[in-house]
Amino acid sequence: MQYNGGSVIAMVGKDCVAIASDLRLGVQSLSISSNFEKIFPVTDRLYIGLPGLASDVTTLREQFRYRVNMYTIKEEREIEPQAFAQLVSSTLYEKRFGPYFIEPVIAGMQKTPSGSYAPFIAATDLIGCLNFAKDFVVAGTASEKLFGVAEGLWEPDLEAEDLFETISQTLLNAVDRDAFSGWGAIVHVM
Amino acid sequence: MEVSFAMTGKGYVLLAADTTAVHSIIKVKTDVDKIKELSPHLLMAYSGEPGDTVQFAEYVERNIRLYQIRHTYPLRPPSAASWIRRSLAESLRSRNPYSVNLLLGGYDTSTYTPHLYWMDYLGTLVEVPFAAHGYGSYFALSLLDRYHDPEATVEEGLAVLRRCLDEVSKRLVVSPGKYKVKIVDKDGIREVEL
């Protein structure tokens, strides 16, 4: 998991979610690219972050795109975050004894029965164990540092602009302490 | 040690690779071509496990050509990169993975843009403005960070390449003597004398 480097974090706010990652791709100590995106859109209201082995990042992104497309065609509707999280979990567990070296982070807006949207975040380990947190989820080489800073900076019911500031500062300060993460960052707010 | 470099410029991609074939302490051959021409506007420099390299490179070359035969239209660089990457990613978890690192340079004739991709034996694919493989990368990448210009002309690009090659000859213990340099642009592929 430490071969290519990279970290991702997702946070919940007031009727919004944010997901952010660094942009580094390296081969152990040698940095190769400062433009390696690890967060991909699943639908307009759902993003997935894939930190870990870069080859599996691309493979899994293509796998999820295929499975979500099949879901959309069969169900004739867009996939909801909760269902997508379960899809991620089963995709990873299928490779239980030869896993993908990725710890996905999911962030999206879930449709509620009343018709409005509620923020949703989740993360899994490399074999698909789901973690439905209420505040924030972290993954990657800087995950311990991200936990620390997020625990300090996060508070409930942050508005979109404040959530953006909070998640950005959390990410920046955490990856600055990690040798394998950094070299640029990107934040998506929904 | 096998060394390869590549960089993009204004409407072109420049690739350079050493020309030595080594077995233990002996230079078996000094005029090897390690840059395959996959299609009229696609070049691939390969390095890695001897044997695996040529086998995989020829496998890729034939399949890219097959696509062109079937569809009467060559695969564009991003699509070719994606296909090659998938072959490597599938090989990784097979019984006998290919241990080949690649630099893929191509010119997209529909969007008139040059593309350069860095790929390794795990199936890592990333588009980059310049790239290198092997021990030479430790010298070349920093030089390219400083001197690379994505809007440079061919002459300026070759000057930067010369800087990289000189640094490798000066500082790498087992530096290769000769390099093969190829360039791909809107007019296709040609070899360049350095």
Side-chain angles (χ1 to χ4, degrees):
Chain A
M1 300 289 270
Q2 279 209 326
Y3 186 72
N4 294 123
S7 312
V8 179
I9 177 173
M11 274 188 181
V12 166
K14 191 166 178 58
D15 300 324
C16 60
V17 276
I19 182 167
S21 78
D22 71 321
L23 294 174
R24 181 179 178 271
L25 172 79
V27 175
Q28 288 174 331
S29 64
L30 179 65
S31 296
I32 301 286
S33 171
S34 55
N35 241 51
F36 189 70
E37 299 233 13
K38 303 169 189 78
I39 298 179
F40 307 103
V42 179
T43 72
D44 289 336
R45 292 194 172 83
L46 185 55
Y47 278 74
I48 182 164
L50 298 165
L53 192 68
S55 171
D56 288 346
V57 169
T58 315
T59 305
L60 266 186
R61 179 262 233 111
E62 291 171 2
Q63 263 282 56
F64 289 137
R65 188 171 63 191
Y66 164 66
R67 288 187 183 211
V68 168
N69 283 345
M70 290 309 295
Y71 182 99
T72 314
I73 288 168
K74 288 180 184 171
E75 298 262 330
E76 295 182 18
R77 64 187 177 92
E78 293 219 307
I79 194 168
E80 286 295 311
Q82 175 80 26
F84 180 66
Q86 300 295 147
L87 178 69
V88 169
S89 173
S90 47
T91 306
L92 293 169
Y93 197 79
E94 271 176 5
K95 301 273 187 230
R96 171 64 179 81
F97 301 111
Y100 293 114
F101 296 104
I102 304 279
E103 290 180 333
V105 167
I106 300 156
M109 297 298 281
Q110 183 118 286
K111 224 183 188 142
T112 57
S114 57
S116 62
Y117 290 90
F120 173 92
I121 55 169
T124 81
D125 68 1
L126 79 174
I127 48 173
C129 174
L130 278 162
N131 164 27
F132 296 110
K134 299 249 165 33
D135 41 12
F136 51 83
V137 285
V138 301
T141 50
S143 57
E144 287 103 345
K145 292 91 163 172
L146 282 163
F147 267 128
V149 193
E151 199 65 63
L153 295 184
W154 187 85
E155 54 188 63
D157 293 327
L158 286 163
E159 293 293 334
E161 286 82 26
D162 298 327
L163 183 65
F164 171 78
E165 288 300 325
T166 307
I167 199 174
S168 304
Q169 286 301 313
T170 307
L171 181 70
L172 257 31
N173 290 295
V175 304
D176 279 348
R177 277 288 185 181
D178 183 33
F180 290 112
S181 301
W183 251 35
I186 187 162
V187 182
H188 300 267
V189 182
M190 283 160 265
Chain B
M1 223 278 107
E2 295 193 315
V3 147
S4 47
F5 310 111
M7 69 188 80
T8 54
K10 195 166 179 59
Y12 69 88
V13 185
L14 202 56
L15 275 91
D18 76 294
T19 58
T20 41
V22 171
H23 276 271
S24 139
I25 56 167
I26 302 169
K27 278 191 208 171
V28 173
K29 196 167 147 80
T30 49
D31 58 355
V32 182
D33 185 2
K34 296 180 190 174
I35 305 178
K36 269 246 182 284
E37 298 170 17
L38 303 179
S39 83
H41 295 274
L42 204 56
L43 279 176
M44 183 174 80
Y46 53 83
S47 54
E49 193 77 50
D52 279 358
T53 47
V54 178
Q55 286 288 88
F56 184 74
E58 289 185 353
Y59 169 74
V60 168
E61 181 187 36
R62 280 140 209 246
N63 276 282
I64 302 285
R65 203 185 312 153
L66 180 62
Y67 183 96
Q68 185 170 345
I69 292 168
R70 279 187 177 145
H71 300 92
T72 68
Y73 182 76
L75 258 183
R76 288 166 56 237
S79 323
S82 185
W83 189 89
I84 298 169
R85 186 213 86 81
R86 184 147 286 264
S87 308
L88 283 169
E90 281 169 4
S91 131
L92 180 66
R93 284 157 207 254
S94 72
R95 198 179 48 83
N96 191 13
Y98 283 115
S99 194
V100 186
N101 300 314
L102 306 168
L103 289 175
L104 188 73
Y107 187 80
D108 192 346
T109 46
S110 7
T111 58
Y112 309 107
T113 45
H115 293 270
L116 176 62
Y117 299 94
W118 183 95
M119 230 182 298
D120 76 357
Y121 69 101
L122 300 169
T124 310
L125 171 69
V126 63
E127 181 160 9
V128 285
F130 53 83
H133 271 301
Y135 287 124
S137 62
Y138 291 104
F139 306 103
L141 288 176
S142 325
L143 275 168
L144 287 161
D145 274 328
R146 169 68 179 83
Y147 291 111
H148 177 253
D149 175 13
E151 295 296 307
T153 62
V154 178
E155 289 70 36
E156 289 165 358
L158 285 170
V160 175
L161 181 66
R162 234 170 262 122
R163 267 190 203 267
C164 298
L165 301 186
D166 290 343
E167 193 62 26
V168 170
S169 332
K170 189 174 166 190
R171 291 294 187 179
L172 192 60
V173 173
V174 276
S175 65
K178 257 174 52 205
Y179 293 84
K180 208 175 240 313
V181 183
K182 291 190 184 174
I183 183 167
V184 57
D185 58 14
K186 62 175 177 22
D187 301 320
I189 294 168
R190 64 182 190 281
E191 206 177 310
V192 175
E193 276 303 316
L194 211 57

